[in-house]
mmCIF file of all heavy atoms in Angstrom:
data_model
loop_
_atom_site.group_PDB
_atom_site.id
_atom_site.type_symbol
_atom_site.label_atom_id
_atom_site.label_comp_id
_atom_site.label_asym_id
_atom_site.label_seq_id
_atom_site.Cartn_x
_atom_site.Cartn_y
_atom_site.Cartn_z
ATOM 1 N N ALA B 1 92.045 -61.324 37.521
ATOM 2 C CA ALA B 1 93.398 -61.465 36.975
ATOM 3 C C ALA B 1 93.492 -62.581 35.940
ATOM 4 O O ALA B 1 94.305 -62.508 35.022
ATOM 5 C CB ALA B 1 94.389 -61.702 38.098
ATOM 6 N N VAL B 2 92.662 -63.609 36.078
ATOM 7 C CA VAL B 2 92.747 -64.729 35.134
ATOM 8 C C VAL B 2 92.171 -64.394 33.763
ATOM 9 O O VAL B 2 92.422 -65.100 32.804
ATOM 10 C CB VAL B 2 92.068 -66.005 35.680
ATOM 11 C CG1 VAL B 2 92.754 -66.472 36.953
ATOM 12 C CG2 VAL B 2 90.597 -65.817 35.881
ATOM 13 N N VAL B 3 91.395 -63.329 33.659
ATOM 14 C CA VAL B 3 90.855 -62.919 32.368
ATOM 15 C C VAL B 3 91.895 -62.019 31.712
ATOM 16 O O VAL B 3 92.089 -60.874 32.111
ATOM 17 C CB VAL B 3 89.497 -62.195 32.506
ATOM 18 C CG1 VAL B 3 88.989 -61.744 31.137
ATOM 19 C CG2 VAL B 3 88.480 -63.093 33.179
ATOM 20 N N ALA B 4 92.587 -62.567 30.712
ATOM 21 C CA ALA B 4 93.653 -61.826 30.040
ATOM 22 C C ALA B 4 93.096 -60.642 29.259
ATOM 23 O O ALA B 4 93.791 -59.663 29.025
ATOM 24 C CB ALA B 4 94.425 -62.766 29.107
ATOM 25 N N GLY B 5 91.853 -60.738 28.849
ATOM 26 C CA GLY B 5 91.216 -59.687 28.068
ATOM 27 C C GLY B 5 90.133 -60.284 27.197
ATOM 28 O O GLY B 5 89.725 -61.430 27.394
ATOM 29 N N VAL B 6 89.679 -59.492 26.244
ATOM 30 C CA VAL B 6 88.663 -59.962 25.306
ATOM 31 C C VAL B 6 89.178 -59.779 23.884
ATOM 32 O O VAL B 6 90.013 -58.920 23.619
ATOM 33 C CB VAL B 6 87.308 -59.232 25.478
ATOM 34 C CG1 VAL B 6 86.709 -59.530 26.845
ATOM 35 C CG2 VAL B 6 87.452 -57.737 25.273
ATOM 36 N N MET B 7 88.653 -60.608 23.004
ATOM 37 C CA MET B 7 89.022 -60.497 21.598
ATOM 38 C C MET B 7 87.756 -60.445 20.759
ATOM 39 O O MET B 7 86.690 -60.890 21.187
ATOM 40 C CB MET B 7 89.877 -61.686 21.168
ATOM 41 C CG MET B 7 89.144 -63.004 21.088
ATOM 42 S SD MET B 7 90.249 -64.234 20.372
ATOM 43 C CE MET B 7 89.124 -65.545 20.030
ATOM 44 N N ASP B 8 87.898 -59.898 19.579
ATOM 45 C CA ASP B 8 86.810 -59.915 18.608
ATOM 46 C C ASP B 8 87.052 -61.124 17.718
ATOM 47 O O ASP B 8 88.030 -61.168 16.976
ATOM 48 C CB ASP B 8 86.816 -58.628 17.785
ATOM 49 C CG ASP B 8 85.717 -58.596 16.738
ATOM 50 O OD1 ASP B 8 85.034 -59.630 16.535
ATOM 51 O OD2 ASP B 8 85.542 -57.549 16.100
ATOM 52 N N HIS B 9 86.190 -62.110 17.836
ATOM 53 C CA HIS B 9 86.316 -63.314 17.018
ATOM 54 C C HIS B 9 85.090 -63.431 16.129
ATOM 55 O O HIS B 9 84.003 -63.775 16.601
ATOM 56 C CB HIS B 9 86.460 -64.558 17.899
ATOM 57 C CG HIS B 9 86.681 -65.804 17.119
ATOM 58 N ND1 HIS B 9 87.842 -66.054 16.445
ATOM 59 C CD2 HIS B 9 85.864 -66.864 16.886
ATOM 60 C CE1 HIS B 9 87.741 -67.223 15.836
ATOM 61 N NE2 HIS B 9 86.560 -67.733 16.086
ATOM 62 N N ARG B 10 85.276 -63.061 14.878
ATOM 63 C CA ARG B 10 84.195 -63.116 13.888
ATOM 64 C C ARG B 10 82.953 -62.348 14.349
ATOM 65 O O ARG B 10 81.827 -62.830 14.252
ATOM 66 C CB ARG B 10 83.851 -64.556 13.548
ATOM 67 C CG ARG B 10 85.032 -65.286 12.949
ATOM 68 C CD ARG B 10 84.666 -66.675 12.537
ATOM 69 N NE ARG B 10 85.861 -67.331 12.031
ATOM 70 C CZ ARG B 10 86.179 -68.573 12.263
ATOM 71 N NH1 ARG B 10 85.377 -69.338 12.978
ATOM 72 N NH2 ARG B 10 87.274 -69.089 11.779
ATOM 73 N N GLY B 11 83.192 -61.173 14.917
ATOM 74 C CA GLY B 11 82.096 -60.316 15.330
ATOM 75 C C GLY B 11 81.569 -60.577 16.733
ATOM 76 O O GLY B 11 80.685 -59.870 17.192
ATOM 77 N N GLU B 12 82.104 -61.560 17.407
ATOM 78 C CA GLU B 12 81.674 -61.871 18.772
ATOM 79 C C GLU B 12 82.793 -61.494 19.743
ATOM 80 O O GLU B 12 83.959 -61.801 19.508
ATOM 81 C CB GLU B 12 81.366 -63.363 18.891
ATOM 82 C CG GLU B 12 80.878 -63.789 20.245
ATOM 83 C CD GLU B 12 80.574 -65.281 20.322
ATOM 84 O OE1 GLU B 12 80.754 -66.008 19.334
ATOM 85 O OE2 GLU B 12 80.162 -65.719 21.406
ATOM 86 N N VAL B 13 82.438 -60.817 20.835
ATOM 87 C CA VAL B 13 83.425 -60.456 21.850
ATOM 88 C C VAL B 13 83.587 -61.654 22.781
ATOM 89 O O VAL B 13 82.630 -62.094 23.412
ATOM 90 C CB VAL B 13 82.985 -59.203 22.632
ATOM 91 C CG1 VAL B 13 84.011 -58.867 23.704
ATOM 92 C CG2 VAL B 13 82.795 -58.033 21.680
ATOM 93 N N VAL B 14 84.810 -62.189 22.824
ATOM 94 C CA VAL B 14 85.085 -63.427 23.553
ATOM 95 C C VAL B 14 86.119 -63.169 24.651
ATOM 96 O O VAL B 14 87.222 -62.714 24.354
ATOM 97 C CB VAL B 14 85.612 -64.517 22.580
ATOM 98 C CG1 VAL B 14 85.960 -65.796 23.325
ATOM 99 C CG2 VAL B 14 84.615 -64.778 21.468
ATOM 100 N N PRO B 15 85.773 -63.453 25.922
ATOM 101 C CA PRO B 15 86.775 -63.337 26.984
ATOM 102 C C PRO B 15 87.789 -64.478 26.878
ATOM 103 O O PRO B 15 87.441 -65.594 26.489
ATOM 104 C CB PRO B 15 85.962 -63.455 28.269
ATOM 105 C CG PRO B 15 84.713 -64.162 27.888
ATOM 106 C CD PRO B 15 84.468 -63.869 26.433
ATOM 107 N N VAL B 16 89.041 -64.179 27.201
ATOM 108 C CA VAL B 16 90.107 -65.183 27.155
ATOM 109 C C VAL B 16 90.665 -65.359 28.561
ATOM 110 O O VAL B 16 91.110 -64.397 29.188
ATOM 111 C CB VAL B 16 91.219 -64.781 26.168
ATOM 112 C CG1 VAL B 16 92.368 -65.796 26.203
ATOM 113 C CG2 VAL B 16 90.656 -64.650 24.755
ATOM 114 N N VAL B 17 90.608 -66.590 29.039
ATOM 115 C CA VAL B 17 91.093 -66.938 30.372
ATOM 116 C C VAL B 17 92.509 -67.497 30.238
ATOM 117 O O VAL B 17 92.747 -68.437 29.475
ATOM 118 C CB VAL B 17 90.162 -67.991 31.020
ATOM 119 C CG1 VAL B 17 90.735 -68.470 32.347
ATOM 120 C CG2 VAL B 17 88.769 -67.415 31.199
ATOM 121 N N ASP B 18 93.443 -66.904 30.965
ATOM 122 C CA ASP B 18 94.838 -67.346 30.945
ATOM 123 C C ASP B 18 95.004 -68.452 31.981
ATOM 124 O O ASP B 18 94.999 -68.187 33.192
ATOM 125 C CB ASP B 18 95.760 -66.172 31.252
ATOM 126 C CG ASP B 18 97.233 -66.550 31.157
ATOM 127 O OD1 ASP B 18 97.563 -67.756 31.156
ATOM 128 O OD2 ASP B 18 98.056 -65.626 31.096
ATOM 129 N N LEU B 19 95.132 -69.684 31.519
ATOM 130 C CA LEU B 19 95.239 -70.805 32.457
ATOM 131 C C LEU B 19 96.558 -70.807 33.219
ATOM 132 O O LEU B 19 96.618 -71.311 34.341
ATOM 133 C CB LEU B 19 95.013 -72.132 31.739
ATOM 134 C CG LEU B 19 93.592 -72.351 31.218
ATOM 135 C CD1 LEU B 19 93.456 -73.744 30.602
ATOM 136 C CD2 LEU B 19 92.553 -72.165 32.309
ATOM 137 N N ARG B 20 97.620 -70.223 32.668
ATOM 138 C CA ARG B 20 98.879 -70.124 33.424
ATOM 139 C C ARG B 20 98.656 -69.270 34.671
ATOM 140 O O ARG B 20 99.077 -69.627 35.767
ATOM 141 C CB ARG B 20 100.000 -69.543 32.565
ATOM 142 C CG ARG B 20 100.506 -70.519 31.512
ATOM 143 C CD ARG B 20 101.756 -69.985 30.853
ATOM 144 N NE ARG B 20 102.893 -70.049 31.739
ATOM 145 C CZ ARG B 20 103.671 -71.118 31.925
ATOM 146 N NH1 ARG B 20 103.421 -72.225 31.270
ATOM 147 N NH2 ARG B 20 104.680 -71.077 32.743
ATOM 148 N N THR B 21 97.972 -68.145 34.498
ATOM 149 C CA THR B 21 97.680 -67.277 35.637
ATOM 150 C C THR B 21 96.783 -68.004 36.622
ATOM 151 O O THR B 21 97.014 -67.982 37.831
ATOM 152 C CB THR B 21 97.012 -65.975 35.163
ATOM 153 O OG1 THR B 21 97.896 -65.301 34.265
ATOM 154 C CG2 THR B 21 96.678 -65.062 36.330
ATOM 155 N N ARG B 22 95.765 -68.679 36.115
ATOM 156 C CA ARG B 22 94.807 -69.395 36.969
ATOM 157 C C ARG B 22 95.486 -70.469 37.802
ATOM 158 O O ARG B 22 95.146 -70.700 38.950
ATOM 159 C CB ARG B 22 93.706 -70.003 36.101
ATOM 160 C CG ARG B 22 92.749 -70.908 36.846
ATOM 161 C CD ARG B 22 92.000 -70.136 37.933
ATOM 162 N NE ARG B 22 91.028 -70.941 38.607
ATOM 163 C CZ ARG B 22 91.270 -71.640 39.711
ATOM 164 N NH1 ARG B 22 92.464 -71.652 40.243
ATOM 165 N NH2 ARG B 22 90.317 -72.328 40.278
ATOM 166 N N PHE B 23 96.492 -71.116 37.206
ATOM 167 C CA PHE B 23 97.179 -72.195 37.904
ATOM 168 C C PHE B 23 98.402 -71.705 38.677
ATOM 169 O O PHE B 23 99.197 -72.496 39.163
ATOM 170 C CB PHE B 23 97.576 -73.296 36.932
ATOM 171 C CG PHE B 23 96.397 -73.991 36.284
ATOM 172 C CD1 PHE B 23 96.532 -74.570 35.034
ATOM 173 C CD2 PHE B 23 95.159 -74.065 36.900
ATOM 174 C CE1 PHE B 23 95.456 -75.220 34.434
ATOM 175 C CE2 PHE B 23 94.082 -74.703 36.310
ATOM 176 C CZ PHE B 23 94.230 -75.282 35.077
ATOM 177 N N GLY B 24 98.565 -70.377 38.783
ATOM 178 C CA GLY B 24 99.659 -69.812 39.578
ATOM 179 C C GLY B 24 101.028 -69.962 38.955
ATOM 180 O O GLY B 24 102.036 -69.994 39.667
ATOM 181 N N LEU B 25 101.094 -70.030 37.640
ATOM 182 C CA LEU B 25 102.368 -70.188 36.944
ATOM 183 C C LEU B 25 102.839 -68.841 36.388
ATOM 184 O O LEU B 25 102.014 -67.986 36.056
ATOM 185 C CB LEU B 25 102.217 -71.179 35.784
ATOM 186 C CG LEU B 25 101.808 -72.599 36.168
ATOM 187 C CD1 LEU B 25 101.523 -73.419 34.919
ATOM 188 C CD2 LEU B 25 102.901 -73.260 36.984
ATOM 189 N N PRO B 26 104.147 -68.673 36.244
ATOM 190 C CA PRO B 26 104.645 -67.432 35.629
ATOM 191 C C PRO B 26 104.322 -67.430 34.134
ATOM 192 O O PRO B 26 104.018 -68.484 33.559
ATOM 193 C CB PRO B 26 106.160 -67.513 35.866
ATOM 194 C CG PRO B 26 106.445 -68.971 35.993
ATOM 195 C CD PRO B 26 105.224 -69.585 36.612
ATOM 196 N N PRO B 27 104.394 -66.262 33.502
ATOM 197 C CA PRO B 27 104.154 -66.216 32.053
ATOM 198 C C PRO B 27 105.111 -67.149 31.322
ATOM 199 O O PRO B 27 106.238 -67.380 31.760
ATOM 200 C CB PRO B 27 104.432 -64.755 31.679
ATOM 201 C CG PRO B 27 104.252 -63.996 32.958
ATOM 202 C CD PRO B 27 104.671 -64.947 34.058
ATOM 203 N N SER B 28 104.655 -67.672 30.203
ATOM 204 C CA SER B 28 105.458 -68.605 29.409
ATOM 205 C C SER B 28 106.610 -67.868 28.739
ATOM 206 O O SER B 28 106.453 -66.738 28.273
ATOM 207 C CB SER B 28 104.593 -69.274 28.338
ATOM 208 O OG SER B 28 105.389 -70.100 27.522
ATOM 209 N N SER B 29 107.763 -68.522 28.692
ATOM 210 C CA SER B 29 108.906 -67.938 27.998
ATOM 211 C C SER B 29 108.899 -68.318 26.520
ATOM 212 O O SER B 29 109.685 -67.817 25.741
ATOM 213 C CB SER B 29 110.213 -68.401 28.659
ATOM 214 O OG SER B 29 110.285 -69.815 28.621
ATOM 215 N N ASP B 30 108.000 -69.216 26.118
ATOM 216 C CA ASP B 30 107.910 -69.667 24.725
ATOM 217 C C ASP B 30 106.467 -69.539 24.242
ATOM 218 O O ASP B 30 105.672 -70.460 24.387
ATOM 219 C CB ASP B 30 108.387 -71.114 24.615
ATOM 220 C CG ASP B 30 108.349 -71.636 23.184
ATOM 221 O OD1 ASP B 30 108.233 -70.816 22.247
ATOM 222 O OD2 ASP B 30 108.430 -72.863 23.005
ATOM 223 N N ALA B 31 106.148 -68.389 23.689
ATOM 224 C CA ALA B 31 104.773 -68.132 23.226
ATOM 225 C C ALA B 31 104.529 -68.645 21.805
ATOM 226 O O ALA B 31 103.404 -68.588 21.319
ATOM 227 C CB ALA B 31 104.476 -66.633 23.297
ATOM 228 N N ARG B 32 105.552 -69.184 21.146
ATOM 229 C CA ARG B 32 105.402 -69.628 19.748
ATOM 230 C C ARG B 32 104.385 -70.755 19.587
ATOM 231 O O ARG B 32 103.720 -70.830 18.575
ATOM 232 C CB ARG B 32 106.748 -70.088 19.178
ATOM 233 C CG ARG B 32 107.759 -68.981 19.034
ATOM 234 C CD ARG B 32 109.098 -69.539 18.633
ATOM 235 N NE ARG B 32 109.531 -70.432 19.707
ATOM 236 C CZ ARG B 32 110.456 -71.359 19.593
ATOM 237 N NH1 ARG B 32 111.062 -71.542 18.455
ATOM 238 N NH2 ARG B 32 110.786 -72.120 20.613
ATOM 239 N N ARG B 33 104.257 -71.611 20.578
ATOM 240 C CA ARG B 33 103.356 -72.762 20.456
ATOM 241 C C ARG B 33 102.011 -72.530 21.142
ATOM 242 O O ARG B 33 101.157 -73.400 21.151
ATOM 243 C CB ARG B 33 104.041 -73.998 21.035
ATOM 244 C CG ARG B 33 105.278 -74.360 20.221
ATOM 245 C CD ARG B 33 106.119 -75.408 20.873
ATOM 246 N NE ARG B 33 105.479 -76.704 20.815
ATOM 247 C CZ ARG B 33 105.978 -77.795 21.352
ATOM 248 N NH1 ARG B 33 107.120 -77.743 21.998
ATOM 249 N NH2 ARG B 33 105.353 -78.931 21.274
ATOM 250 N N ALA B 34 101.838 -71.359 21.738
ATOM 251 C CA ALA B 34 100.611 -71.055 22.475
ATOM 252 C C ALA B 34 99.398 -71.095 21.545
ATOM 253 O O ALA B 34 99.482 -70.754 20.358
ATOM 254 C CB ALA B 34 100.718 -69.680 23.125
ATOM 255 N N LYS B 35 98.283 -71.532 22.095
ATOM 256 C CA LYS B 35 97.012 -71.591 21.359
ATOM 257 C C LYS B 35 95.902 -71.138 22.282
ATOM 258 O O LYS B 35 96.050 -71.126 23.503
ATOM 259 C CB LYS B 35 96.703 -73.022 20.896
ATOM 260 C CG LYS B 35 97.673 -73.592 19.884
ATOM 261 C CD LYS B 35 97.519 -72.942 18.544
ATOM 262 C CE LYS B 35 98.452 -73.602 17.539
ATOM 263 N NZ LYS B 35 98.542 -72.845 16.321
ATOM 264 N N TRP B 36 94.788 -70.808 21.684
ATOM 265 C CA TRP B 36 93.568 -70.540 22.434
ATOM 266 C C TRP B 36 92.540 -71.565 22.014
ATOM 267 O O TRP B 36 92.284 -71.743 20.817
ATOM 268 C CB TRP B 36 93.046 -69.144 22.159
ATOM 269 C CG TRP B 36 93.921 -68.058 22.726
ATOM 270 C CD1 TRP B 36 94.964 -68.193 23.609
ATOM 271 C CD2 TRP B 36 93.827 -66.672 22.433
ATOM 272 N NE1 TRP B 36 95.514 -66.970 23.884
ATOM 273 C CE2 TRP B 36 94.834 -66.015 23.177
ATOM 274 C CE3 TRP B 36 93.001 -65.922 21.625
ATOM 275 C CZ2 TRP B 36 95.024 -64.644 23.125
ATOM 276 C CZ3 TRP B 36 93.197 -64.546 21.578
ATOM 277 C CH2 TRP B 36 94.187 -63.927 22.327
ATOM 278 N N ILE B 37 91.981 -72.241 22.983
ATOM 279 C CA ILE B 37 90.918 -73.209 22.726
ATOM 280 C C ILE B 37 89.608 -72.489 22.990
ATOM 281 O O ILE B 37 89.339 -72.081 24.129
ATOM 282 C CB ILE B 37 91.061 -74.453 23.626
ATOM 283 C CG1 ILE B 37 92.420 -75.131 23.399
ATOM 284 C CG2 ILE B 37 89.912 -75.424 23.372
ATOM 285 C CD1 ILE B 37 92.711 -76.267 24.366
ATOM 286 N N LEU B 38 88.807 -72.300 21.960
ATOM 287 C CA LEU B 38 87.515 -71.637 22.120
ATOM 288 C C LEU B 38 86.486 -72.696 22.465
ATOM 289 O O LEU B 38 86.309 -73.666 21.730
ATOM 290 C CB LEU B 38 87.112 -70.905 20.840
ATOM 291 C CG LEU B 38 88.094 -69.833 20.360
ATOM 292 C CD1 LEU B 38 87.547 -69.124 19.132
ATOM 293 C CD2 LEU B 38 88.431 -68.842 21.459
ATOM 294 N N ILE B 39 85.860 -72.502 23.621
ATOM 295 C CA ILE B 39 84.878 -73.470 24.102
ATOM 296 C C ILE B 39 83.547 -72.770 24.334
ATOM 297 O O ILE B 39 83.490 -71.538 24.423
ATOM 298 C CB ILE B 39 85.347 -74.171 25.392
ATOM 299 C CG1 ILE B 39 85.569 -73.159 26.519
ATOM 300 C CG2 ILE B 39 86.602 -74.999 25.141
ATOM 301 C CD1 ILE B 39 85.853 -73.777 27.860
ATOM 302 N N GLU B 40 82.513 -73.561 24.448
ATOM 303 C CA GLU B 40 81.169 -73.055 24.739
ATOM 304 C C GLU B 40 80.804 -73.496 26.152
ATOM 305 O O GLU B 40 80.845 -74.683 26.464
ATOM 306 C CB GLU B 40 80.182 -73.641 23.735
ATOM 307 C CG GLU B 40 78.809 -73.058 23.811
ATOM 308 C CD GLU B 40 78.627 -71.873 22.875
ATOM 309 O OE1 GLU B 40 79.455 -71.665 21.974
ATOM 310 O OE2 GLU B 40 77.637 -71.172 23.065
#
């Protein structure tokens, strides 16, 4: 459930982990400031 899905980032398939879901929080009501931090 914590894996929101995958994205194509410059030709690489990258899984995206939703930390709100992981931390047991409801979805954000303000997605305008949301970001994805790509880590290795």
Side-chain angles (χ1 to χ4, degrees):
V2 298
V3 178
V6 296
M7 70 173 192
D8 179 352
H9 184 70
R10 299 184 183 140
E12 182 180 1
V13 179
V14 178
V16 176
V17 174
D18 184 344
L19 293 184
R20 287 190 72 84
T21 300
R22 173 62 177 91
F23 296 153
L25 299 173
S28 176
S29 59
D30 181 15
R32 294 173 298 161
R33 296 170 72 182
K35 295 289 183 192
W36 291 349
I37 301 173
L38 301 183
I39 60 172
E40 188 92 15

